[in-house]
Amino acid sequence: MKYSTMKLVAKVLLGKDKIGNNINILDDDMMIVSYPKSGNTWLRFLIANAISEESATFENIEKIIPDIYQNYNKYLLRLSSPRILKSHEPFNKEYKKVLYIVRDPRDIILSYYRYHKKKGSIELGLDIEEYTKIFIRQSVTKIEDFGTWGENVGSWVGAKEGRDDFKLIRYEDLRRNTSNILAEVLTFLGINYSKKSIIRAVKNSSIDNMRVLEQFNNNSWVSIAGSDPGIPFIGPGEVGGWRSNLSIRSVQLIEKSWPELMAELGYMHA
């Protein structure tokens, strides 16, 4: 482990060893973890559509792969084991089996900026460069306590990389080679699958299909209920969108903040 990554781990572990929303984590739980806007929702849909006879929608996704921030502990404890749960927490020793999805922070910031505008959780008129300055030094809103991108990602990579109970996938690889990466994910989770179930999952979890589902469920899905319907939750999902949509200054701020970790993950020259 690189020294810079070790420092990130130490910073996150100090005072942050907590369970999101104070839920009970069980020994056989399987956790899908990421920094926000890294593709966690899309990955949930892919897995849900591969394992469930019922096609995943924004109305039933919380029954198939619940979000630990949107469901009460009593409800989660009633689910049959092993549970697959979504989380954005930095390293937590209670998490036994972890599937961690990471994404280029230069693309994350575009998606996160749009999401916070949709939710109305940032000041009106806050431009992307000012938002970038907040993004690189702290959690963007007081409600969220996931650390910075570097703290969150660095904590998991530093503590769990190379272990059998931890699998890291890159959003970019999942986009480019969805079927094969999904098969790897299901194998890691110990889930039986067929070629037919993979094909169905990829088709039903396409960006276009998820956008249609969002339009139908915008007011019923707890994560976005009451938010601005004019701003989509499901974005373009593109890889490298930062090249044409992020200012040079914002790119420089991000790259100077976590150069070694970004390089370790293959992002500095991507």
Side-chain angles (χ1 to χ4, degrees), residues 42 170-184 202:
W42 179 42
R170 299 195 327 158
Y171 172 84
E172 295 77 15
D173 298 329
L174 185 62
R175 288 291 293 163
R176 295 186 183 107
N177 197 2
T178 308
S179 296
N180 287 347
I181 299 297
L182 177 57
E184 291 180 12
V202 172

Side-chain angles (χ1 to χ4, degrees), residues 30-79:
M30 297 181 285
M31 310 298 296
I32 304 176
V33 188
S34 73
Y35 187 76
K37 312 312 294 180
S38 298
N40 200 315
T41 297
W42 179 42
L43 183 56
R44 287 165 76 199
F45 267 72
L46 283 167
I47 296 171
N49 278 317
I51 66 176
S52 176
E53 295 182 1
E54 182 181 8
S55 294
T57 69
F58 287 102
E59 286 188 320
N60 66 19
I61 191 64
E62 298 300 337
K63 297 177 182 178
I64 306 171
I65 302 179
D67 182 331
I68 67 170
Y69 309 104
Q70 305 295 342
N71 296 277
Y72 289 110
N73 191 45
K74 289 183 179 180
Y75 165 74
L76 294 176
L77 287 174
R78 290 199 297 267
L79 299 177

Side-chain angles (χ1 to χ4, degrees), residues 49-254:
N49 278 317
I51 66 176
S52 176
E53 295 182 1
E54 182 181 8
S55 294
T57 69
F58 287 102
E59 286 188 320
N60 66 19
I61 191 64
E62 298 300 337
K63 297 177 182 178
I64 306 171
I65 302 179
D67 182 331
I68 67 170
Y69 309 104
Q70 305 295 342
N71 296 277
Y72 289 110
N73 191 45
K74 289 183 179 180
Y75 165 74
L76 294 176
L77 287 174
R78 290 199 297 267
L79 299 177
S80 58
S81 294
R83 306 179 300 181
I84 306 177
L85 304 175
K86 169 198 170 179
S87 171
H88 289 312
E89 293 295 299
F91 176 72
N92 188 323
K93 65 182 181 181
E94 300 296 327
Y95 291 11
K96 300 299 188 294
K97 194 162 197 173
V98 174
L99 175 64
Y100 193 90
I101 180 167
V102 66
R103 187 182 186 187
D104 190 325
R106 296 166 297 189
D107 277 333
I108 285 177
I109 196 169
L110 294 171
S111 181
Y112 217 1
Y113 181 63
R114 184 182 64 252
Y115 171 75
H116 280 131
K117 289 177 69 175
K118 176 178 179 62
K119 296 283 286 186
S121 52
I122 57 175
E123 295 180 9
L124 292 175
L126 183 69
D127 63 32
I128 190 68
E129 287 194 14
E130 289 301 314
Y131 182 88
T132 302
K133 293 176 184 176
I134 301 172
F135 175 82
I136 63 177
R137 69 172 184 262
Q138 64 188 50
S139 295
V140 180
T141 70
K142 294 180 180 179
I143 298 174
E144 299 164 345
D145 187 22
F146 308 128
T148 65
W149 179 85
E151 290 170 342
N152 195 298
V153 176
S155 71
W156 284 106
V157 171
K160 300 278 271 185
E161 189 175 30
R163 291 181 49 165
D164 292 339
D165 59 359
F166 179 77
K167 183 174 181 62
L168 183 143
I169 62 171
R170 299 195 327 158
Y171 172 84
E172 295 77 15
D173 298 329
L174 185 62
R175 288 291 293 163
R176 295 186 183 107
N177 197 2
T178 308
S179 296
N180 287 347
I181 299 297
L182 177 57
E184 291 180 12
V185 163
L186 295 174
T187 298
F188 170 73
L189 296 176
I191 296 171
N192 295 323
Y193 64 89
S194 64
K195 184 176 180 180
K196 184 178 179 180
S197 67
I198 293 286
I199 293 172
R200 182 184 68 244
V202 172
K203 179 182 178 181
N204 291 345
S205 307
S206 70
I207 297 296
D208 289 341
N209 191 52
M210 289 183 66
R211 282 178 170 172
V212 172
L213 293 173
E214 180 188 347
Q215 291 177 353
F216 280 109
N217 305 140
N218 188 69
N219 291 320
S220 58
W221 188 37
V222 63
S223 292
I224 59 174
S227 61
D228 186 346
I231 302 176
F233 175 81
I234 301 298
E238 61 185 333
V239 172
W242 60 269
R243 290 187 176 90
S244 56
N245 294 293
L246 200 59
S247 71
I248 293 176
R249 176 58 177 159
S250 289
V251 171
Q252 290 174 337
L253 287 171
I254 294 171

